[in-house]
Structures are given as structure tokens and as C-alpha cells.
Amino acid sequence: MDCIFCKIIDGEIPAVKVLDEELVIAFMDINPSSKGHMLVVPKRHAENIFEIPESDLAATIKAVKICAKAVKEVLNAEGITVLQLNGKASDQIVPHFHIHIIPRWENDGLPVSTWEMKKGDMKEIQEIARKVKEYIPSGS
Ligand code: AMP
Ligand code: ZN
């Protein structure tokens, strides 16, 4: 399979690793949005949140917490954005599940998470919530 993150996991191409566990690795993003930007990646290939097994997801988010804490301390970050994209429409570029850790500082001007907030249509909001609740299996 021609997956760049699988190649990093297999050691075929280099990466600046910060964590290497049984199920998960983390390495620095080579196009950092901010100083310390890194990616946490399950070793088993899964394209997105819909495909990743729960056990890999749990291991990945656990590693995110460890890495976020470490980079926050090391760089004295004032905040950390944790970001995960699914599908082209969401701007996912690499089709191997990964979670971004992006250190933040007050007024750093990063466009991440500064989307416009506008008042929603409460009828529509409630209708969507009703359908979603109906779809979610009971006991979840
Ligand atoms: P996205 O799929 O949009 O969530 O983002 C993919 C991320 O992977 C981007 O931030 C890229 O800079 C990063 N990236 C792509 N190739 C590499 C690589 N070989 N080593 C480290 N980071 C990479
Ligand atoms: Zn892969």
C-alpha cells in the first residue's frame, strides 16, 4: 500500500519520532503550523475515525495526552489545539488516521479554530440532534 505514514512506521522513510509504543507512534510534522506541531499515529493502517478499531483509537488518544503534556512543558505553550480530520471535505490530506498536536500561544494568529460564530437556527439544531440521538444505538 502506498501510504506515507505506513512507510514511516515501517522505517522505509525517516521521521523525527518522539514516541514509539506497541500500537502508536508520534513524530514531528514536517510542515509545522506552529513550533512543536506533531502527529500521533496508530501503527495499524486505518483511513479515518470510521475505520479505526476502538483499541487503536484508545491507545492513540492516550498517547496524545502524553505528547501534549510533554510539548506544553518543553515549549511553555499556553494552549494546545488537538485536531483530527476525516475526508477530503475536512481537508484530510494523508489517508492514515492521525491526530495533530499544535502548541498555541495567546494571539499567535493561527487560523486553526477561529471559525466564524454565528447564531444558529434552533429548530434546525434540535431537529438534527433528534435524528442523531435516534441513530445512536441505545447503550452507547
Ligand atoms: P492532514 O491529513 O490534513 O490532517 O495533514 C497531514 C499532515 O501530515 C500535514 O500537516 C503534513 O505536513 C504532515 N506530513 C505529511 N508527510 C509527512 C512526513 N513525511 N513527515 C511528517 N509529517 C508529514
Ligand atoms: Zn497507512
Side-chain angles (χ1 to χ4, degrees), residues 2-135:
D2 199 27
C3 170
I4 188 148
F5 288 176
C6 281
K7 285 184 179 157
I8 288 175
I9 291 155
D10 293 342
E12 285 172 38
I13 63 168
V16 182
K17 286 189 202 164
V18 294
L19 172 142
D20 192 344
E21 294 179 346
E22 188 191 345
L23 299 175
V24 184
I25 62 165
F27 51 86
M28 304 307 289
D29 196 304
I30 49 168
N31 308 297
S33 295
S34 74
K35 206 187 268 198
H37 183 173
M38 59 181 72
L39 303 170
V40 185
V41 183
K43 287 186 174 172
R44 197 190 335 231
H45 182 91
E47 189 162 328
N48 52 40
I49 195 151
F50 309 110
E51 290 184 3
I52 186 169
E54 265 73 1
S55 53
D56 287 352
L57 183 59
T60 305
I61 199 70
K62 222 172 140 187
V64 165
K65 182 165 180 176
I66 291 165
C67 293
K69 190 161 182 253
V71 75
K72 185 174 186 294
E73 291 297 319
V74 167
L75 295 180
N76 233 339
E78 292 167 338
I80 300 279
T81 295
V82 174
L83 183 72
Q84 195 274 313
L85 309 175
N86 299 282
K88 265 199 196 137
S90 168
D91 297 324
Q92 182 180 13
I93 299 167
V94 176
H96 180 132
F97 183 94
H98 54 279
I99 300 181
H100 295 258
I101 295 178
I102 305 172
R104 304 294 302 274
W105 288 267
E106 297 277 342
N107 304 314
D108 61 18
L110 273 192
V112 182
S113 73
T114 52
W115 54 75
E116 188 193 352
M117 274 206 255
K118 46 181 196 261
K119 189 107 192 82
D121 172 349
M122 278 318 291
K123 261 186 92 170
E124 187 188 44
I125 291 169
Q126 281 165 350
E127 182 59 8
I128 292 167
R130 188 189 63 74
K131 286 184 185 162
V132 170
K133 280 201 301 198
E134 241 177 54
Y135 186 88

